[in-house]
């Protein structure tokens, strides 16, 4: 039976100039089948899906649903259709970070007139159906990508819709989890119509019952079109519509769940969204307006992306079959269409584990530097990490002690690997706007550090910092309360340069001893640091760019790296086969590298993090990065 039919659908976006996203598309869909829509970026896939789902309206033609034309649909009819017949699944999950999985699924029913108890039961059942019955009370940030996508599917299913629309549901997943999600969708398609947009033709071929290819807004190929008998013999059976009663959640549900659509859809949809919600019960308005829909949406996107930079690490990388590859591509099978490259990948894959070495050459670093000018819209910020150790002294409560900002991990892994990535001492990205979007300033005169001698403190949402941090600073007195004014404008820390901090002693170097700290702190060499601000993560953010502790400018990092690079100890270490601090020989290359990096003999970046502005831009950044390797042996 035919579920849906598009007849000569045309979609023209007109804001300033006209863009024809769909040209005369005619296609029918069966009641239960699994349709994959393939096509290059920008060809109109999302537009097609949005029109089918009633999130966007066609410019001309007709969308026939269960034999009914939608030409005369008014907003209320569209609302009803969206709420009762359609479930949406997006690439970016669109889960609400501070709510549990159960609540995330319940929200889809919040306003469809279902009692609270039934909502809970149905949400729990839907989560069970996707294999998450044990995680009902977890929050999204405790889940893997594949699990989050399963929550999104549960949410789409909970209203028992006839049609599931999925826009690149596996776009952010690795190949193994993609398969799990595809299995679930395939299962759903036994009793419903599933239409999925994907870039991955292999998944489409393996799982779907029909593949439709789109190019420039037109259907180019359909490998299982409706037969002429299906089209003519099957009279549209006018089944009773599930319900055309007023639906209270109206457009709000749909738009909340698809903020990405809303963001790209400019004026008209937003107006419709709010027009559609006038007259609905108070709670919907409260939900949308009090939390500030647009504010919520942009925070959520920034929130997710702050934790998901594209990272490029120097040196040898080992990948197992599950992990992202080194360009952040999640599916190695489709990562490359380049002939020679393919053959290498096949060979590598048979080994299960693959290794490669990232060489962050000057040329490559320049290429990364150009990203900001090549794709200005795409980049929030780029950070370059180095392993140069900073020698820090803290002057608190009348004593000078060494400040070791490393956060000891439970496993001791950091120490073992010579990394200091978990630290109360973090470099600021060179993008004040990005930081301001995530943090508020606490206290009068509180501001961001702007020079090498300025630092700030990052506190959590309760204005607190964990006790270890205070202990490390020497702020030990149990009975003392500190005021903000004890910090802002004050000096607490000083960076001591290598030549002052390390003294040569025959073939070896030794670190300054505690007895020498006060003199070092008071001598004019080094960088005395002033605390100029206290930053607090914005309330609606789940996790920000920084963890609690101090933040310093890249100016300071540069100055310290330059200085360390010219220090006697670095120069000596650079040409020595033993560790100049311990006298022990290096047993492998990695140990020597670490020593060189720590002391400043090697100040090239060890890690590059690229923070994209949104999910679509992340793709264009990946493309740019992949291009670097084109035509290289
Ligand atoms: P795909 O999903 O295949 O990547 P889309 O359906 O998102 O493609 O977009 C198809 C075309 O329509 C593109 O040229 C895109 O720029 C344009 N387009 C999409 N949404 C809008 C909009 N709200 N305003 C103007 N143009 C748009
Ligand atoms: Mg799209």
């Amino acid at each position: 039976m035919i579920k849906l039919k598009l007849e000569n659908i045309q979609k023209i976006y007109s804001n300033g100039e006209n863009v024809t996203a769909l040209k005369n598309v005619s296609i029918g869909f069966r009641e239960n089948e699994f349709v994959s829509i393939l096509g290059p970026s920008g060809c109109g896939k999302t537009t097609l899906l949005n029109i089918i789902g009633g999130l966007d309206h066609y410019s001309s033609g007709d969308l026939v649903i269960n034999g009914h034309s939608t030409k005369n649909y008014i907003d209320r009819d569209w609302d009803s259709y969206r709420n009762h017949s359609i479930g949406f699944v997006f690439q970016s999950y669109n889960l609400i970070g501070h709510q549990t999985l159960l609540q995330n699924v319940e929200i889809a029913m919040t306003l469809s007139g279902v009692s609270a108890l039934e909502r809970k039961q149905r949400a729990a059942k839907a989560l069970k159906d996707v294999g998450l019955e044990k995680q009902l009370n977890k929050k999204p940030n405790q889940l893997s990508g594949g699990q989050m996508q399963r929550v999104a599917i549960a949410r789409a299913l909970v209203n028992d819709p006839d049609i599931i629309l999925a826009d690149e549901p596996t776009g952010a997943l690795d190949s193994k989890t993609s398969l799990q999600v595809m299995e679930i969708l395939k299962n759903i398609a036994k009793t419903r119509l599933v239409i999925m947009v994907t870039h991955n033709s292999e998944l489409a071929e393996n799982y779907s019952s029909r593949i439709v290819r789109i190019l420039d807004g037109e259907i180019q190929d359909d490998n299982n079109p409706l037969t002429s008998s299906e089209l003519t013999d099957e009279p549209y059976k006018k089944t009773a519509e599930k319900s055309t009663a007023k639906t209270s959640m109206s457009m709000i549900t749909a738009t909340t769940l698809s903020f990405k659509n809303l963001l790209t859809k400019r004026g008209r949809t937003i107006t419709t969204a709010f027009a559609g919600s006038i007259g609905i019960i108070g709670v919907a308005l409260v939900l949308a307006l009090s939390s500030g829909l647009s504010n919520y949406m942009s925070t959520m996107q920034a929130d997710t992306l702050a934790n998901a930079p594209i990272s490029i690490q120097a040196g040898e990388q080992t990948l197992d079959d599950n992990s992202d590859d080194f360009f952040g591509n999640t599916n190695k099978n489709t990562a490359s269409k380049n002939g020679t490259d393919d053959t290498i990948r096949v060979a590598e894959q048979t080994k299960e584990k693959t290794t490669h070495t990232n060489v962050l050459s000057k040329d490559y670093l320049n290429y990364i530097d150009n990203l900001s000018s090549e794709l200005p819209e795409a980049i929030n910020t780029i950070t370059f990490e180095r392993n140069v150790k900073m020698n820090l002294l803290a002057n608190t409560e009348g004593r000078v002690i060494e400040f070791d900002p490393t956060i000891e991990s439970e496993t001791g892994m950091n120490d073992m690997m010579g990394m200091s990535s978990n630290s109360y001492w973090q470099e600021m990205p060179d993008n004040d706007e990005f930081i301001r979007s995530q943090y508020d300033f606490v206290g009068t005169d509180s501001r961001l550090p702007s020079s090498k001698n300025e630092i700030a403190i990052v506190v959590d949402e309760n204005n607190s910092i964990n006790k270890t941090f205070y202990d490390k600073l020497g702020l030990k007195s149990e009975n003392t309360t500190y005021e903000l004014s004890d910090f802002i404008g004050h000096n607490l820390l000083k960076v001591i340069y290598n030549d002052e901090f390390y003294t040569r002693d025959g073939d070896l170097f030794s670190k300054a001893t505690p007895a020498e700290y006060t003199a070092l702190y008071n001598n004019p060499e080094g960088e005395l640091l002033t605390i100029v601000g206290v930053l607090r993560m914005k309330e609606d953010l789940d996790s920000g760019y920084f963890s609690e502790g101090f933040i310093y400018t890249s100016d300071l990092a540069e100055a310290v790296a330059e200085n360390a690079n010219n220090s006697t100890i670095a120069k000596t270490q650079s040409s020595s086969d033993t560790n100049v601090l311990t006298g022990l020989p290096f047993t492998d290359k990695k140990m020597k590298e670490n020593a060189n990096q720590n002391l400043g003999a090697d100040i090239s970046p060890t890690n590059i993090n690229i923070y994209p502005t949104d999910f679509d831009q992340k793709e264009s950044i990946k493309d740019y990065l992949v291009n670097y390797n084109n035509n290289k042996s």
Side-chain angles (χ1 to χ4, degrees):
M1 210 191 92
I2 301 174
K3 180 77 201 167
L4 277 180
K5 224 174 121 183
L6 282 76
E7 296 177 350
N8 303 318
I9 290 276
Q10 204 186 26
K11 176 66 189 179
I12 300 170
Y13 287 111
S14 40
N15 21 36
E17 56 184 312
N18 288 348
V19 179
T20 307
L22 294 175
K23 312 171 185 160
N24 265 331
V25 172
S26 295
I27 185 170
F29 297 102
R30 300 174 183 91
E31 213 167 13
N32 50 336
E33 60 176 343
F34 190 176
V35 186
S36 286
I37 300 193
L38 289 172
S41 183
C43 71
K45 303 182 297 294
T46 299
T47 306
L48 180 68
L49 219 55
N50 287 345
I51 286 178
I52 293 174
L55 278 177
D56 204 349
H57 299 325
Y58 45 82
S59 310
S60 65
D62 195 5
L63 171 66
V64 181
I65 304 165
N66 291 328
H68 296 280
S69 163
T70 56
K71 273 188 181 149
N72 297 318
Y73 262 33
I74 57 172
D75 284 349
R76 191 212 296 169
D77 300 314
W78 285 118
D79 291 344
S80 176
Y81 168 61
R82 264 195 310 272
N83 282 298
H84 295 290
S85 304
I86 306 281
F88 291 98
V89 178
F90 303 95
Q91 174 181 346
S92 47
Y93 326 126
N94 299 348
L95 302 179
I96 301 169
H98 60 270
Q99 296 200 333
T100 65
L101 303 194
L102 199 63
Q103 289 167 329
N104 264 288
V105 175
E106 271 186 74
I107 192 180
M109 291 176 289
T110 308
L111 293 140
S112 47
V114 181
S115 77
L117 182 67
E118 197 193 334
R119 281 208 306 267
K120 209 164 232 125
Q121 286 168 344
R122 274 169 60 179
K125 162 87 168 54
L127 283 163
K128 182 164 184 262
D129 287 347
V130 296
L132 292 172
E133 68 268 39
K134 296 218 177 77
Q135 341 260 343
L136 301 185
N137 295 315
K138 284 201 175 157
K139 301 220 170 137
N141 63 5
Q142 295 169 283
L143 301 183
S144 68
Q147 288 174 320
M148 288 200 273
Q149 192 56 292
R150 274 143 64 188
V151 177
I153 292 173
R155 185 185 56 200
L157 284 174
V158 76
N159 280 323
D160 196 26
D162 301 333
I163 305 167
I164 296 282
L165 301 176
D167 200 351
E168 308 209 40
T170 60
L173 302 178
D174 61 59
S175 44
K176 198 160 153 193
T177 15
S178 291
L179 298 185
Q180 293 170 355
V181 166
M182 294 306 291
E183 281 295 350
I184 292 175
L185 289 175
K186 188 178 168 185
N187 229 346
I188 294 170
K190 286 179 187 158
T191 53
R192 293 164 224 260
L193 169 60
V194 176
I195 306 178
M196 173 183 78
V197 164
T198 180
H199 271 127
N200 188 328
S201 56
E202 204 187 330
L203 284 185
E205 261 146 38
N206 289 340
Y207 286 91
S208 49
S209 56
R210 178 175 176 192
I211 296 178
V212 174
R213 287 173 201 274
I214 301 193
L215 192 65
D216 291 336
E218 288 179 295
I219 292 182
Q220 197 195 19
D221 186 44
D222 183 345
N223 72 0
N224 189 7
L226 298 187
T227 60
S228 52
S229 68
E230 278 176 296
L231 280 168
T232 52
D233 283 357
E234 182 78 54
Y236 281 160
K237 201 168 115 207
K238 304 211 171 185
T239 46
E241 299 253 333
K242 272 189 155 173
S243 164
T244 44
K246 246 189 225 167
T247 37
S248 23
M249 186 50 171
S250 109
M251 194 78 173
I252 297 269
T253 311
T255 46
T256 321
L257 301 181
S258 72
F259 67 92
K260 192 170 143 199
N261 283 296
L262 186 64
L263 287 181
T264 54
K265 208 137 303 122
R266 337 249 157 111
R268 201 195 51 78
T269 312
I270 295 177
T271 324
T272 328
F274 287 99
S277 62
I278 291 173
I280 66 175
I281 49 173
V283 65
L285 282 175
V286 171
L287 181 76
L289 301 179
S290 74
S291 64
L293 192 57
S294 60
N295 188 16
Y296 158 69
M297 292 184 302
S298 55
T299 329
M300 187 156 83
Q301 186 143 184
D303 201 3
T304 318
L305 288 165
N307 294 311
I310 298 174
S311 287
I312 304 154
Q313 273 180 306
E316 187 169 279
Q317 315 291 320
T318 306
L319 305 161
D320 59 34
D321 258 356
N322 267 330
S323 64
D324 285 10
D325 75 12
F326 50 102
F327 299 124
N329 283 316
T330 43
N331 191 327
K332 279 178 271 173
N333 299 325
T334 57
S336 169
K337 292 181 181 69
N338 177 313
T340 46
D341 204 356
D342 262 343
T343 43
I344 294 166
R345 274 162 197 276
V346 171
E348 282 175 341
Q349 290 230 318
T350 58
K351 287 193 296 183
E352 294 226 348
K353 287 217 166 176
T354 61
T355 61
H356 69 271
T357 302
N358 285 342
V359 183
L360 306 187
S361 62
K362 273 230 159 58
D363 186 42
Y364 188 71
L365 294 173
N366 282 335
Y367 188 75
I368 298 286
D369 267 339
N370 287 339
L371 245 175
S372 307
S373 49
E374 291 284 328
L375 299 169
E377 306 275 282
I379 308 292
N380 245 336
T381 192
I382 303 178
T383 62
F384 297 87
E385 290 172 17
R386 295 191 183 98
N387 280 349
V388 182
K389 184 176 175 297
M390 290 202 205
N391 314 310
L392 292 165
L393 295 183
N395 181 14
T396 44
E397 300 183 359
R399 285 182 315 135
V400 180
I401 58 168
E402 186 176 4
F403 175 60
D404 170 10
T406 325
I407 301 173
E408 284 81 17
S409 69
E410 281 162 25
T411 57
M413 276 301 263
N414 283 348
D415 289 347
M416 271 167 49
M417 303 180 68
M419 297 195 308
S420 55
S421 58
N422 274 334
S423 175
Y424 294 115
W425 183 245
Q426 303 158 86
E427 185 172 335
M428 290 164 50
D430 283 327
N431 185 337
D432 289 3
E433 205 186 319
F434 176 57
I435 301 174
R436 287 206 180 86
S437 73
Q438 300 199 341
Y439 292 89
D440 292 323
F441 292 90
V442 186
T444 41
D445 300 333
S446 187
R447 61 176 174 84
L448 277 179
S450 61
S451 71
K452 74 178 195 303
N453 291 95
E454 297 181 340
I455 57 175
I457 303 178
V458 178
V459 297
D460 73 5
E461 66 269 30
N462 304 315
N463 284 358
S464 60
I465 292 196
N466 102 33
K467 182 162 180 305
T468 323
F469 175 74
Y470 284 92
D471 289 349
K472 285 195 172 236
L473 277 175
L475 297 168
K476 286 202 170 168
S477 323
E478 295 278 328
N479 299 323
T480 316
T481 327
Y482 294 94
E483 303 288 333
L484 278 175
S485 51
D486 292 332
F487 296 105
I488 295 178
H490 290 249
N491 304 319
L492 201 71
L493 285 182
K494 184 175 176 182
V495 176
I496 310 296
Y497 284 134
N498 280 356
D499 282 341
E500 276 76 45
F501 198 69
Y502 295 104
T503 330
R504 181 166 223 149
D505 186 6
D507 285 342
L508 294 180
F509 284 78
S510 55
K511 257 171 71 166
T513 60
E516 297 164 305
Y517 289 163
T518 308
L520 280 173
Y521 193 91
N522 292 329
N523 109 16
E525 296 292 325
E527 305 290 346
L528 189 61
L529 306 172
T530 308
I531 299 169
V532 299
V534 175
L535 278 66
R536 178 176 58 209
M537 199 171 79
K538 288 193 196 269
E539 240 172 52
D540 39 9
L541 218 61
D542 274 328
S543 53
Y545 180 85
F546 302 116
S547 51
E548 291 121 50
F550 288 115
I551 57 173
Y552 59 88
T553 59
S554 54
D555 289 349
L556 179 66
E558 292 289 329
V560 172
E562 287 296 314
N563 186 291
N565 199 228
N566 290 318
S567 66
T568 314
I569 188 169
K571 287 178 177 153
T572 313
Q573 182 64 80
S574 171
S575 55
S576 170
D577 289 332
T578 56
N579 185 317
V580 297
L581 283 167
T582 61
L584 297 173
F586 294 117
T587 48
D588 67 37
K589 223 174 75 200
K590 190 81 200 144
M591 279 173 78
K592 162 94 176 153
E593 257 172 41
N594 278 338
N596 277 345
Q597 289 168 354
N598 275 316
L599 294 174
D602 176 1
I603 56 170
S604 51
T606 53
N607 196 14
I608 305 170
N609 290 312
I610 304 167
Y611 292 81
T613 48
D614 65 34
F615 290 101
D616 281 345
Q617 299 289 13
K618 191 168 184 175
E619 296 304 314
S620 51
I621 298 171
K622 284 185 198 169
D623 290 344
Y624 180 88
L625 296 176
V626 170
N627 276 340
Y628 181 82
N629 284 351
N630 280 351
N631 305 320
K632 291 199 170 61
S633 58

